[in-house]
């Protein structure tokens, strides 16, 4: 066998399968991280409702749950996070600082990515009810 054939053979039999396994592992890691984050957000939201205090979902989080947005007709429920930074929006819809807090008078701005957490908006029809639960447990319908 020539030297170039051995190199190509090495790449095809060793490097390519290993890089495929690496990519599959990376995808599984991201998916597992997303599932764990949602469980931690749900736990933090339950604790927020119970104590009426800001509860971070994990110790190094720069956000915390401030509400729950739901659309009963579509079976949708999303934890709304404090702030609308990229870090917050990676985990769920975010409340824009400087706008009214859910349950208070004024305009409330909640931002979200249209291709992930707010994908359901394309399915809304006139008359669909949207609910927003506050950290005090009060639910307002729109």
């Amino acid at each position: 066998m020539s030297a170039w054939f051995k190199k190509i053979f090495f790449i095809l039999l060793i490097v390519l399968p290993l890089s495929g396994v690496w990519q599959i592992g990376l995808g599984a890691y991201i998916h597992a991280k997303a599932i764990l984050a949602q469980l931690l957000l749900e736990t933090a939201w339950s604790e927020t409702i119970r104590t009426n205090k800001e509860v971070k979902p994990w110790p190094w989080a720069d956000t915390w749950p401030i509400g729950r947005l739901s659309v009963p007709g579509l079976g949708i429920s999303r934890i709304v996070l404090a702030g609308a930074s990229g870090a917050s929006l990676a985990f769920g819809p975010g409340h824009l600082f400087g706008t009214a807090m859910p349950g208070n008078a004024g305009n409330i701005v909640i931002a979200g990515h249209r291709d992930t957490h707010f994908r359901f908006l394309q399915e809304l029809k006139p008359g669909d009810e949207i609910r927003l639960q506050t950290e005090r447990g009060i639910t307002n319908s729109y």
Side-chain angles (χ1 to χ4, degrees):
M1 271 201 257
S2 65
W4 66 271
F5 184 75
K6 287 181 182 179
K7 287 180 184 177
I8 291 174
F9 187 74
F10 176 76
I11 289 172
L12 291 176
L13 288 181
I14 304 298
V15 175
L16 288 178
L18 285 177
S19 65
V21 168
W22 174 263
Q23 292 299 314
I24 290 169
L26 187 59
Y29 166 74
I30 290 170
H31 187 67
K33 187 173 129 181
I35 291 170
L36 177 61
Q38 293 306 306
L39 292 172
L40 293 172
L41 287 171
E42 287 290 340
T43 301
W45 176 244
S46 295
E47 187 69 13
T48 298
I49 292 292
R50 191 178 68 72
T51 63
N52 201 22
K53 294 181 181 174
E54 294 174 1
V55 178
K56 291 186 175 188
W58 44 89
W60 61 91
D62 60 354
T63 188
W64 55 93
I66 60 127
R68 179 186 295 276
L69 184 72
S70 61
V71 182
L74 297 177
I76 299 296
S77 178
R78 303 285 187 266
I79 301 294
V80 179
L81 300 170
S85 69
S88 296
L89 294 179
F91 297 104
H95 170 258
L96 187 64
F97 290 131
T99 65
M101 289 294 288
N104 293 345
N107 293 321
I108 304 164
V109 176
I110 298 174
H113 292 293
R114 68 178 180 183
D115 57 347
T116 55
H117 302 291
F118 272 3
R119 183 179 296 143
F120 71 89
L121 291 177
Q122 66 188 352
E123 299 173 32
L124 284 178
K125 295 178 181 50
D128 283 348
E129 180 183 28
I130 300 173
R131 295 178 184 168
L132 184 57
Q133 183 182 27
T134 70
E135 50 195 2
R136 293 184 301 268
I138 299 166
T139 301
N140 295 305
S141 296
Y142 304 92

